[in-house]
Amino acid sequence: MSKQFFSKLSQNYIEVLEDNEYYDITIEVGEDPNVKIFRAHMIVLCYRSPFLRRILASKKMNNDVTLVHIKFPNISPEIFQIILKYVYGGIISLNEKEPLEILRVLAAADQ
């Protein structure tokens, strides 16, 4: 029974990530011409990632507007999508046929 609870909870957080209504942070990743902006939620990121908590704390102190914007030009949108899905839902989907993808995720997560 608890297994179903956690899978439903995980799915709910993925739905929050995919919902474009209540976000309070935008994250720009990649370099031209491969740039994507993700919408996210500061509270989730702060509690799931000490690295993002430090970045967001400094941004929030320097910025009085409600929407915070950060950039990670050295991470591809495809890799960041994998990381963000893991941060929200505890789900990681890697292409096992692409060992380079796994290395890219590990390198980006090492930040």
Side-chain angles (χ1 to χ4, degrees):
M1 184 168 198
S2 64
K3 184 174 173 113
Q4 287 180 332
F5 171 76
F6 287 124
S7 72
K8 181 66 175 167
L9 180 63
S10 182
Q11 182 58 39
N12 289 146
Y13 273 101
I14 295 298
E15 290 169 7
V16 168
L17 175 62
E18 294 169 352
D19 186 337
N20 290 325
E21 193 170 349
Y22 297 109
Y23 66 94
D24 58 356
I25 180 173
T26 55
I27 304 168
E28 184 177 327
V29 297
E31 293 180 339
D32 280 334
N34 189 24
V35 173
K36 183 172 180 181
I37 296 177
F38 293 89
R39 295 175 176 154
H41 307 84
M42 190 176 301
I43 189 120
V44 174
L45 299 179
C46 284
Y47 280 91
R48 296 283 291 149
S49 169
F51 170 75
L52 290 172
R53 177 179 276 226
R54 286 189 303 274
I55 288 175
L56 293 171
S58 68
K59 288 280 186 181
K60 199 64 175 164
M61 288 185 331
N62 298 330
N63 194 351
D64 291 334
V65 293
T66 55
L67 186 65
V68 174
H69 182 78
I70 57 177
K71 295 181 182 183
F72 296 118
N74 57 335
I75 301 174
S76 76
E78 297 80 18
I79 297 300
F80 193 75
Q81 177 72 43
I82 293 168
I83 293 170
L84 203 54
K85 194 171 182 180
Y86 174 74
V87 166
Y88 271 77
I91 298 167
I92 188 157
S93 302
L94 297 172
N95 184 350
E96 293 177 13
K97 296 178 183 173
E98 289 290 331
L100 190 56
E101 180 182 69
I102 296 169
L103 291 175
R104 287 184 182 136
V105 169
L106 289 172
D110 188 46
Q111 276 194 348

